[in-house]
Amino acid sequence: MPANAKPDLNTSREERVLIADTESLMCELLQIRFENEGFKVVIVSSASEALNLDLSRFSIVLVDLMGESVNGLQLTAAVKRNPDTVGLPVIIMSAKASEDDIVDGLEAGADDYVAKPFSTRELIARVKSVIRRRNMMNARRLANVIRFQELTLDIGAGTAFIDGMELSLTQNEFRLLAMFLRRPNHFFDRAQIREIVWNNDSAISDRAVDTSISRLRKKLFDYSRNLVNRKGFGYGFVE
């Protein structure tokens, strides 16, 4: 980091910026300005060249629309289609600034659209704002994610995965798994489970609780051994 760098206090690590644009002089000037702000910058001259990089390593992509075989809109759409980069922010920088151009860019998935010529100070402020927003969203999402080894439960999305493979769980099976993973090594008796998972529904019998947990256990593959029934204590997920 240059001696006169001004790192953004709202970020906790060095942010990596990818700039995809044919205007080499502008890119060099942007690189200097961004590096003075504490960013790491990589420059490519085409959207296709950008797609050949590991985009998951970057914090944000700045791309011109460009009129080549793979243009900026296509790059933006490709970033947002890829599960590994769907959360990667993209800002389009273009001399095309009609309402239709801006709408096309935003509909392709761009997080912001900056018309050329622009103030580098304003662009950097927009980049920081977009990255800050992404970091806040990631923090909220991670707060709702529970992991045990390769078993991942995303409370917000209502999904569960083992080694990247999504599990087909019913709503009650998902609630059961969430209950167990939130308090590993804790045991719940059937009355507690009915209260937490079924809102104390009197129609749910002890047998129904046992059956639901048995079905959940079968869907957990190797992790089924972690879901145990200890006599006199109840059910628990043991690490």
Side-chain angles (χ1 to χ4, degrees):
M1 184 183 298
N4 59 343
K6 304 173 185 176
D8 186 350
L9 298 179
N10 290 290
T11 61
S12 58
R13 60 182 177 83
E14 185 177 54
E15 303 289 358
R16 297 174 59 88
V17 179
L18 174 62
I19 303 176
D21 199 300
T22 56
E23 297 183 40
S24 58
L25 179 58
M26 181 202 72
C27 290
E28 290 172 7
L29 291 172
L30 286 178
Q31 181 174 13
I32 293 170
R33 290 298 304 275
F34 274 109
E35 288 181 347
N36 283 341
E37 293 289 330
F39 291 86
K40 177 75 174 178
V41 178
V42 173
I43 298 172
V44 295
S45 59
S46 68
S48 55
E49 190 178 351
L51 286 173
N52 287 328
L53 300 176
D54 180 4
L55 294 178
S56 65
R57 296 169 54 242
F58 293 92
S59 307
I60 193 166
V61 175
L62 307 181
V63 58
D64 183 67
L65 289 180
M66 297 180 286
E68 56 171 274
S69 57
V70 180
N71 61 35
L73 289 180
Q74 292 168 313
L75 170 61
T76 301
V79 167
K80 299 302 181 177
R81 279 197 309 268
N82 187 335
D84 294 330
T85 58
V86 65
L88 175 63
V90 178
I91 294 180
I92 292 177
M93 313 177 296
S94 177
K96 298 179 180 179
S98 71
E99 183 177 355
D100 287 342
D101 292 323
I102 295 172
V103 169
D104 288 344
L106 296 176
E107 287 185 345
D111 296 83
D112 203 349
Y113 195 108
V114 179
K116 293 180 178 179
F118 50 74
S119 158
T120 54
R121 183 180 177 188
E122 178 186 354
L123 177 64
I124 290 171
R126 286 177 182 246
V127 165
K128 287 182 177 179
S129 176
V130 169
I131 290 177
R132 218 166 20 238
R133 187 163 63 243
R134 180 214 57 184
N135 289 346
M136 290 173 62
M137 290 176 64
N138 286 345
R140 285 196 294 267
R141 182 184 64 80
L142 289 174
N144 285 323
V145 174
I146 306 172
R147 288 189 176 89
F148 175 74
Q149 297 177 7
E150 299 302 319
L151 172 59
T152 303
L153 196 69
D154 189 327
I155 303 297
T159 54
F161 298 85
I162 291 180
D163 199 20
M165 180 187 71
E166 185 170 1
L167 305 181
S168 178
L169 302 181
T170 66
Q171 186 178 61
N172 286 331
E173 288 167 352
F174 183 86
R175 288 176 176 172
L176 281 166
L177 185 56
M179 177 191 72
F180 289 127
L181 291 182
R182 279 183 172 129
R183 298 190 67 185
N185 303 315
H186 178 86
F187 286 84
F188 301 85
D189 61 32
R190 292 179 181 86
Q192 291 174 315
I193 294 171
R194 277 198 302 270
E195 180 179 357
I196 295 170
V197 177
W198 284 277
N199 295 316
N200 221 16
D201 187 345
S202 59
I204 301 300
S205 64
D206 286 352
R207 182 174 177 80
V209 172
D210 293 339
T211 299
S212 293
I213 292 176
S214 177
R215 289 174 177 167
L216 170 62
R217 184 184 281 119
K218 291 176 181 177
K219 296 180 180 181
L220 294 180
F221 299 99
D222 290 345
Y223 295 102
S224 62
R225 66 172 69 96
N226 299 92
L227 183 50
V228 302
N229 182 8
R230 187 168 293 172
K231 188 174 181 180
F233 291 90
Y235 290 97
F237 191 91
V238 179
E239 294 180 332

